[in-house]
């Protein structure tokens, strides 16, 4: 039994249906082909998911979300679906603003010995180290200082997230996939996070890390330097893979290259799942 369970976590302004947008832009085909089950969740505060409680004074939204993922969500998923699906480990597939919570959870998992669920690896995409200045200037004026959540016009959102590299049937789902974003999450992930994530969390992650950015990302600056800046933080990980998905928009899963990206991600999940068992002497 080597198969992983992929837990897919959406980014800001989307929901779990992001991973099943259309028949083509979905985890289902590759999941079925490789016999790798996949569960997509709504993050805390999105749609019907329980919102996070008040953030403690000396913490931040992303840190608390990561703790909730590690202590509550992943153990519950493993308890409910691990044996039922006949899988041996979990691999997290995180996009954009779900990257911080995933890094926090992976670091806590390593620190606490991983007793509540077996984590074989994390797949991170759509979250960089340097914002695209033009995009940043276009979205900040739209943030209402009096509202705790942020909603962007669908047309602007599609332009930034998909930049003309998605099929019409995907664009037809934009309204269905759209949600608002917690302002606390937005400003932590897009600002405060940069001041603490490397020293407090990234260096303590031990599981394999796969990091890919979109070649046509309009939200982040993507080049060899920014990719190295991100991956160099994982000094304790036993394996770090990195790359660029050519021809992909920020929301790679929704783009025309989405199927190729899913194939790469799920194939990697299988590989590190086997490595976890064999490396621990659990073969057979």
């Amino acid at each position: 039994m080597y198969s992983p369970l992929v837990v897919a976590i959406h980014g800001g302004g989307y929901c779990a249906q992001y991973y099943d947008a259309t028949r083509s832009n979905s985890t289902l085909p590759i999941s079925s082909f490789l016999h790798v089950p996949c569960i997509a969740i709504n993050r805390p505060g999105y749609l019907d998911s329980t919102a996070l409680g008040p953030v403690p004074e000396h913490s931040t939204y992303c840190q608390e979300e990561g703790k909730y993922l590690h202590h509550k969500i992943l153990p519950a998923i493993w308890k409910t679906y691990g044996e039922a699906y006949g899988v041996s480990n979990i691999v997290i597939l995180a996009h954009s603003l779900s990257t911080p919570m995933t890094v926090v959870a992976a670091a806590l998992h390593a620190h606490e010995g991983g007793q509540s669920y077996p984590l074989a690896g994390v797949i991170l995409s759509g979250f960089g180290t340097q914002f695209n200045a033009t995009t940043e200037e276009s979205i900040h004026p739209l943030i209402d200082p009096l509202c705790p959540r942020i909603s962007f016009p669908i047309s602007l959102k599609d332009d930034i997230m998909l930049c003309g590299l998605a099929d019409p049937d995907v664009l037809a789902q934009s309204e269905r996939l759209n949600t608002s974003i917690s302002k606390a999450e937005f400003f932590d992930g897009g600002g405060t996070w940069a001041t603490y994530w490397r020293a407090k969390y990234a260096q303590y992650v031990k599981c394999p890390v796969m990091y890919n950015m979109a070649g046509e990302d309009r939200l982040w600056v993507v080049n060899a330097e920014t990719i190295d800046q991100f991956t160099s933080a994982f000094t304790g990980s036993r394996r770090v893979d990195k790359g660029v998905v050519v021809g992909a928009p920020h929301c790679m899963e929704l783009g025309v290259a989405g199927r190729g990206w899913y194939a790469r991600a799920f194939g990697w999940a299988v590989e590190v799942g086997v490595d976890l068992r064999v490396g621990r002497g659990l073969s057979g």
Side-chain angles (χ1 to χ4, degrees):
M1 184 173 66
Y2 296 101
S3 180
L5 169 63
V6 173
V7 177
I9 312 179
H10 63 85
Y14 287 95
C15 59
Q17 295 177 54
Y18 176 89
Y19 290 102
D20 190 28
T22 68
R23 291 183 64 183
S24 296
N25 295 86
S26 171
T27 61
L28 183 58
I30 192 64
S31 172
S32 299
F33 181 75
L34 293 179
H35 303 288
V36 173
C38 177
I39 294 174
I41 64 172
N42 287 319
R43 291 198 284 120
Y46 281 82
L47 298 184
D48 58 349
S49 281
T50 304
L52 287 181
V55 175
E57 183 179 355
H58 299 294
S59 187
T60 64
Y61 189 97
C62 291
Q63 292 182 81
E64 294 306 304
E65 192 176 38
K67 294 173 186 176
Y68 190 74
L69 175 65
H70 171 65
H71 292 297
K72 300 293 185 180
I73 298 174
L74 293 176
I77 288 175
W78 183 247
K79 182 179 180 180
T80 304
Y81 299 105
E83 184 176 349
Y85 283 4
V87 294
S88 61
N89 56 79
I90 285 175
V91 173
I92 302 175
L93 174 63
H95 179 254
S96 198
L97 261 179
S98 65
T99 293
M101 69 184 294
T102 300
V103 172
V104 171
L108 294 176
H109 180 272
H111 176 70
E112 297 175 8
Q115 298 301 312
S116 56
Y117 60 94
L119 183 64
V122 295
I123 302 170
L124 312 174
S125 69
F127 195 90
T129 59
Q130 182 180 339
F131 269 120
N132 180 305
T134 301
T135 299
E136 189 173 13
E137 291 173 2
S138 69
I139 62 178
H140 275 275
L142 300 175
I143 299 174
D144 184 348
L146 301 179
C147 183
R149 298 190 68 85
I150 304 168
S151 296
F152 295 114
I154 294 293
S155 58
L156 174 65
K157 185 178 177 183
D158 282 350
D159 182 59
I160 295 172
M161 303 298 181
L162 302 176
C163 58
L165 292 171
D167 289 329
D169 59 340
V170 171
L171 294 173
Q173 303 302 316
S174 293
E175 191 70 43
R176 178 175 69 90
L177 303 179
N178 185 53
T179 65
S180 60
I181 309 170
S182 161
K183 187 181 291 183
E185 172 188 42
F186 181 83
F187 283 110
D188 184 16
T192 314
W193 172 255
T195 67
Y196 65 81
W197 77 284
R198 300 177 72 93
K200 196 169 184 178
Y201 295 105
Q203 67 171 324
Y204 297 111
V205 174
K206 293 182 179 179
C207 70
V209 175
M210 179 183 184
Y211 177 67
N212 277 251
M213 290 294 284
E216 302 301 322
D217 200 308
R218 289 184 180 173
L219 193 59
W220 301 95
V221 174
V222 177
N223 54 43
E225 181 180 358
T226 58
I227 289 176
D228 286 344
Q229 285 173 351
F230 188 91
T231 55
S232 65
F234 297 95
T235 54
S237 175
R238 61 181 178 271
R239 171 180 177 178
V240 179
D241 296 315
K242 58 188 176 182
V244 173
V245 180
V246 178
H250 174 74
C251 290
M252 302 193 294
E253 295 80 0
L254 302 182
V256 291
R259 285 177 295 174
W261 163 239
Y262 276 142
R264 184 189 304 186
F266 273 69
W268 188 88
V270 171
E271 186 179 345
V272 296
V274 171
D275 177 61
L276 179 65
R277 272 187 79 80
V278 173
R280 289 183 175 181
L282 300 174
S283 58

